[in-house]
Amino acid sequence: TVIRPADGNETAGAYKYAVERSKNDSRPTFLAFSRQALPNLPNSSIENTLKGAYAVIECEKPDIILIGTGSEVSVCMDAAKELESAGTKVRVVSMPSTEIFREQPASYKDALLPKSVKKMSVEAACTSGWDEFADAFVGIDVFGASAPGGTCMDKFGFNKDNVLACAKRCISGETGVLSNGSQGKH
């Protein structure tokens, strides 16, 4: 099981999951931590982490759902603020573990990520695999760059402006890979 915590509370939940799974089921867990200093998120908790995904920012009848993992959840929150100020209803979901989320009851998964709502994933990793949960994807499908973390994240499109632009494209009906990091490759 892979877990990418987005803050300290999710980190505590990831450790809890890893220790319990190791002790009870003798299953390995990989914890992928961020280099960035990250704020604690609204609604983050050990309990929510153990669901694999949960709403960080909730709203009734969202126009779009931004799904982030790890440090990208904060970027999703920044983009959501801009969208909301323009009148767009946004739910932000932290998904620290797709594997744990898959184990949840269908009713929970469908309520969190309704099929009728446009969804966009944002992860500083390859875009493949996200089509199970999202319609559009922001990720990195290239490799080989080297720079300080913040510089790489910005150049590869993990910033508010790019996520905001991609979210608008998703809302207008575009699907698939909307940003794959190739704009940062030199």
Side-chain angles (χ1 to χ4, degrees):
T1 303
V2 176
I3 306 175
R4 281 197 71 216
D7 71 1
N9 294 325
E10 287 189 9
T11 298
Y15 274 119
K16 177 179 174 54
Y17 180 89
V19 169
E20 287 177 357
R21 285 298 172 133
S22 175
K23 184 175 90 174
N24 298 333
D25 299 330
S26 192
R27 286 177 49 185
T29 303
F30 178 82
L31 306 179
F33 296 110
S34 174
R35 305 191 305 183
Q36 295 90 341
L38 300 171
N40 277 338
L41 302 169
N43 299 323
S44 73
S45 66
I46 290 171
E47 295 76 23
N48 279 337
T49 303
L50 298 177
K51 297 175 185 174
Y54 63 95
V56 175
I57 297 176
E58 183 58 90
C59 77
E60 294 282 328
K61 299 181 181 177
D63 299 311
I64 188 169
I65 299 172
L66 301 178
I67 308 166
T69 184
S71 59
E72 295 81 62
V73 177
S74 294
V75 177
C76 289
M77 290 179 57
D78 292 341
K81 288 176 192 170
E82 293 269 335
L83 288 165
E84 289 170 346
S85 69
T88 302
K89 293 180 178 180
V90 183
R91 175 182 295 161
V92 176
V93 169
S94 176
M95 188 175 284
S97 178
T98 58
E99 294 160 283
I100 297 171
F101 183 63
R102 281 187 195 107
E103 297 172 357
Q104 301 310 304
S107 59
Y108 177 74
K109 293 186 286 189
D110 293 342
L112 186 64
L113 302 176
K115 292 182 185 358
S116 61
V117 179
K118 294 175 179 161
K119 294 168 283 298
M120 185 178 83
S121 66
V122 181
E123 182 182 30
C126 68
T127 57
S128 67
W130 278 106
D131 56 340
E132 180 179 350
F133 307 106
D135 309 300
F137 326 108
V138 174
I140 300 178
D141 293 328
V142 297
F143 65 95
S146 180
T151 301
C152 280
M153 293 295 280
D154 189 52
K155 293 287 186 187
F156 284 120
F158 295 96
N159 56 57
K160 178 188 68 170
D161 293 336
N162 187 54
V163 171
L164 178 62
C166 291
K168 289 177 180 178
R169 290 169 58 195
C170 180
I171 291 167
S172 71
E174 287 190 56
T175 61
V177 178
L178 301 184
S179 178
N180 69 357
S182 61
Q183 70 273 17
K185 191 85 167 115
H186 298 290

